[in-house]
Amino acid sequence: MNQVLSPPPHLTSSGSPALPRLQRSPCAGWHLSIAGVSHFQFKPVFLGTVHPRSELAQHRRVVNSQKCVRAGGKHNDLEDVGRDTYHHTFFEMLGNWSFGDYFKEEACSMAWELLTEVYEIPRDHLYVTYFGGDPSLGLSADEECRDVWLRLGVPASHVLPFPLKDNFWEMGDTGPCGPCTEIHYDHVGGGRNAAALVNQGSPDVVEIWNLVFMQYSREVEGNLLPLPQHHVDTGMGLERLVTVLQNKRSNYDTDLFTPILDAIHKGCRAPRYQGLIGDADFGRVNMAYRVVADHVRTLCVCITDGIYPGFSGAELVLRRILRRAVRFCSEILQAPPGLLASLVPTVVEVLGDAYPELTRNANQIKDIINENEAAFLSSLERGRRIIERTVQQMEPSTNFPAEVAWSLYGSLGFPLDLIDLMLEEKGISLDSTAFNELALEDAGGAQAEQPGNTNTHLDVHSLAWLQSSNVPATDDSPKYAYTVGQHGQYEFSPCQATVLMLYRDQSLHKEVGAGQRCGVILDRTNFYAEQGGQDSDQGYMIPLGQQDVLFPVESVHLCGGYVIHEVTAVETLRAGDQLQLFVDEAQRLACMTNHTATHLLNFALRRVLGDSTEQRGSHVTAERLRFDFDTKGHVTVEQLQQVEQVVQDLIQKNEVVHMAEVPLTLARRVQGLRAVDEGYPDPVRIVSLGVPVENVLTCDSKAAVQTSVELCCGTHLLQTGSVEDLAIISERQLVKGISRLIAVTGGRAKEAREVGQCLAMEVDSVSLRMKQRITSIPKMQDLSKEVGQLTKVVASAAMPQWQRKELQTILKVLQRTANTAVKKLELQQAEKVAQILLAKYCNQPVIIDTVPVDSLSILMKVVNKLCDKSPGTSVLLLSPQASGEVLCACQVSKNCLPVFSAADWAVAVCTKMEGKAGGSPIVAKGSGNAKGMQGALTTALEFAQSKL
């Protein structure tokens, strides 16, 4: 990379093209196409939903470097990785952006200047493409873009039109999109014309830079509408640029990859990497090198940024990437387990200067990779056994069942291509049609779970109209207007507001008729809009002077600075109407309580588990709070108790909750405060427990480390004592390294503790009865069932999690004790019955009789005992039950095989009793009806005599 470390300063300051260096810019972020979801941080700017007071809203030109993972959804490179030399799951995207500022002329000009004048790439090696139009969408060719390139001196033979699939960029099914122009590099050059190889998948002619012109918005109906403002979004892959500047033909031949490839060779039994592709790559060894080198980089950057191999969304895709890498390691490279994790230090060496967080988390990355690899190798063995067993049970010339393949794929993470390969080796094929139907059902279910509301999320055109018409953003400061009365009760002031506009069916209206559902945009509001992990307020609106007309508010959302209240109009609503607003005070207070408790919990976790404990997400409702955080393992019973105690102490102290808005620049100086990005509004709100905000802001203040100090737009209690109590009722690991807590407060916490005490008393009662000498099998079985039922209740009850874990430990021991006692009593009973029968039949070759026992399990034990004591004897016993059922168990002496089969014997006997049976040639069991028991005994004897 030594050729690209020093970009010219004049380009840096002008905000023009991206700087190709491994360095995080202030605006660096993620652009994930993992599982088809885009997370690049400038999307709110394109959509107009960014808060107008945020730093992000002030940007007009931005240069940045983004970590990108493309391994799922619309932009999916996963299957290409390894097959060629220029696709990657993880790569570094260098971009320059314009938000309503410069457009095509400037973007193309700056890109051409950087490539040809600064990096001195030969012009005749470069080809540019532009959008050739699409008559079906009514889109003409982007001749404006073409003409820009021609004016820049690009020969007409190097300016090429391409259709929608190549030169029209859109991330998903809806949202900002537009034509793009791509710059391709011919690695061969030498005066030839390579136009025919552009966009043809040739490894010699590769796209290096894509300039997207955001001109349109793809609507839900599929139509394209012009965006109110034109934007530029460009992306150049660092890996491909480095390949050009280091004069290589493959990304894997650059110093971004060669150290990793060398490390792979040292750790495996395969020959050294030679860069072969296609048919020349015998045994896919070189492909395996590329796959492993690419995938281990992806694993390192994702795990470091808190994405762990898991079972849904991005985590599931990362799990598949890891398993694909493990397969290539073990099956192609013949490497021992652990190779993948052993490559982490090399990845850190290559990328650590640019991303120091990799260096800090190297050990964690290795641990997670090793644990997941071990789990996968175990799954591979289980999967192979399942396939073998299924194939043995299949009818000849049939397809492998899709439901089994889907279970292997979804539950065990068995790669689909490996299933196909294993079936191909057996001459069997998968029922692909049925498999795809299962996949579609699964995808459809996931999509159905995603809610959408067209009345509360303003579309980009409506937002642009509001802003261009100078409709002021909603003043929502009254949501913080509440006090504590003389008797300690919270008092919420009503608010009077004017209807600015109504929103329905993705368009703005001045009037909405009775019975219609709509979003109401007001000039001011005391309703809290859903944000910061806190649920929105509920309540109602009353037209001024009309106390008998009430508009219930169902939800509240914030969009581009406008607060939208979702209501169903009970009568006509018009812009200009005056309304009085009333929040649901009980619901609001419950949310405030749980939000303040969330801050207490966050502080307590850091105090108990260490300062490195970072919040990963939270959600606050009136009923409970959810808190996700990173952790190195399960939280212990003792730690849960300690966390609750720290919270209880803060509640008992009744600390004042200080809240104030401060400039973003001041907030960034607070020591110990988590990272403040440009998405926060300016000024930003600080919530501090026990320490006034002005004290937190002093230069030498350690308050953010010693108490809870957080940036938060939520509504909070004024003193911590109002929380009253907090109980953590659930703790579980979402994925390796991230835990989720569920907690309740106030009365709900008290109820949880009462439930816990009641269940603890029940467990104590069972423990005492278990210690008594019980000789009755039915009584001991009842006690075992009671333990099992109590275990289920404890697992699902809303009770303190630390107490749940303690009771579960006790119940596990009790269940094992009960099961052992039942088994012991059964053996004792079986021993007695067997002794009686042995004395009665004295080593006869066949024993057929009826015996009184309590279960089929005991009956089988009697048969086993008899055959153990008399190996040459074949035994069949029947046991009539009070219910009218007759139990049957039999065992055949090995001396009588294969003529005499226990399974056939049991079937013949139970069929006589109108029942069923099954088993092996040696042991079988079944049941039938008591009416046919005498005939069954006769059949049993006749069957045995015919075989002996």
Side-chain angles (χ1 to χ4, degrees), residues 476 478-479 495 522 525-529 536-541 553 556 563 565 580-584 588:
D476 62 352
K479 68 188 178 189
C495 175
L522 305 170
T525 183
N526 59 346
F527 278 78
Y528 182 83
S536 67
D537 280 339
Q538 296 171 1
Y540 57 92
M541 304 174 176
V553 176
V556 190
V563 178
H565 310 71
Q580 278 191 301
L581 314 181
F582 298 88
V583 298
D584 180 330
R588 161 66 85 83

Side-chain angles (χ1 to χ4, degrees), residues 322-331 340 373 376-377:
L322 185 145
R323 294 185 162 204
R324 188 169 186 253
V326 170
R327 276 189 52 229
F328 276 96
C329 280
S330 61
E331 295 177 12
L340 203 58
E373 179 181 43
F376 178 48
L377 292 174

Side-chain angles (χ1 to χ4, degrees), residues 25-32 38-47 49-50 54 56-57 59 62-68 93 95 97 99 233 677-679:
S25 72
C27 298
W30 269 99
H31 174 89
L32 283 176
S38 174
H39 294 292
F40 64 95
Q41 72 272 35
F42 300 130
K43 190 174 182 180
V45 181
F46 293 154
L47 293 174
T49 56
V50 63
S54 72
L56 196 59
H59 290 313
V62 168
V63 176
N64 79 334
S65 167
Q66 292 184 128
K67 301 174 187 174
C68 298
M93 181 80 84
W97 311 68
F99 308 122
D233 165 8
D677 63 39
E678 65 276 1

Side-chain angles (χ1 to χ4, degrees), residues 397-445:
S397 304
T398 57
N399 285 334
F400 191 80
E403 59 273 13
V404 177
W406 181 252
S407 176
L408 288 169
Y409 177 73
S411 301
L412 289 181
F414 218 74
L416 188 56
D417 57 349
L418 184 58
I419 296 173
D420 286 332
L421 182 65
M422 292 183 67
L423 295 180
E424 185 182 322
E425 291 170 355
K426 298 177 183 299
I428 300 169
S429 59
L430 173 64
D431 186 347
S432 300
T433 303
F435 185 90
N436 291 335
E437 286 174 1
L438 290 171
L440 284 171
E441 285 175 19
D442 187 67

